[in-house]
Amino acid sequence: AVRDPEDLDARSSMHLASVFAGIGFGNAGVHLCHGMSYPIAGNVKTHSAKGYSVEHALVPHGLSVVLTSPAVFNFTAPMCPERHLEAAEILGADIRQVKREDAGAVLADTLRQFLFDLQVEDGLGAVGYSKDDVPALVKGTIPQV
């Protein structure tokens, strides 16, 4: 769907996946990545999102969610390394020799490579944030989690 916008089957499958994700959020609560996405999108100053024809700074919701996911999954992995390894495997990682304590790093690295292959921005710095912005991003995240 990303590489070939004319592929209606791929686009339909992505749409269905997003519906399933929405159902999951409705039943499981909001994950850290999602909670942190609101201030990332809301405090943007200069970023121009690829593929959007707007005259103002914009970090689209999906991008604002995925930007923090490698770091978040590295942080959350010790709570349930099996699920993190399963996610890494689904994204293509060979987990046969991976130790449980490495689950977060493996998932984070696998996700970073997946996003790199899709030409997605990497990290908050890529959308214009710096260390000076962290207090405002934290302040905007706290009500979400």
Side-chain angles (χ1 to χ4, degrees), residues 1 29 36 46-48 71 80 97 105 117 123 129 145:
M36 290 189 285
T46 60
H47 183 68
S48 297
C80 192
Q97 302 295 322
D117 292 345
Y129 287 105
V145 294

Side-chain angles (χ1 to χ4, degrees), residues 39-81:
I40 292 169
N43 292 318
V44 63
K45 300 171 197 152
T46 60
H47 183 68
S48 297
K50 292 184 264 182
Y52 287 79
S53 297
V54 295
E55 295 182 18
H56 55 82
L58 174 70
V59 176
H61 178 67
L63 177 59
S64 68
V65 171
V66 79
L67 284 172
T68 61
S69 60
V72 166
F73 295 144
N74 201 26
F75 174 76
T76 59
M79 296 302 123
C80 192

Side-chain angles (χ1 to χ4, degrees), residues 30-34 36 68-85 87 100-105 107-108 111 145:
V30 175
H31 193 275
L32 288 172
C33 301
H34 200 260
M36 290 189 285
T68 61
S69 60
V72 166
F73 295 144
N74 201 26
F75 174 76
T76 59
M79 296 302 123
C80 192
E82 297 82 12
R83 291 182 77 184
H84 289 71
L85 287 172
R100 289 170 40 104
E101 59 266 19
D102 295 330
L107 177 54
L111 185 54
V145 294

Side-chain angles (χ1 to χ4, degrees), residues 33-44 59 64 124 129 133 135-144:
C33 301
H34 200 260
M36 290 189 285
S37 72
Y38 295 107
I40 292 169
N43 292 318
V44 63
V59 176
S64 68
L124 295 175
Y129 287 105
D133 298 306
L137 294 172
V138 170
K139 184 177 179 181
T141 297
I142 296 299
Q144 308 301 324

Side-chain angles (χ1 to χ4, degrees), residues 115-130:
L115 296 172
F116 176 81
D117 292 345
L118 292 174
Q119 301 177 347
V120 173
E121 289 89 336
D122 184 16
L124 295 175
V127 295
Y129 287 105
S130 71

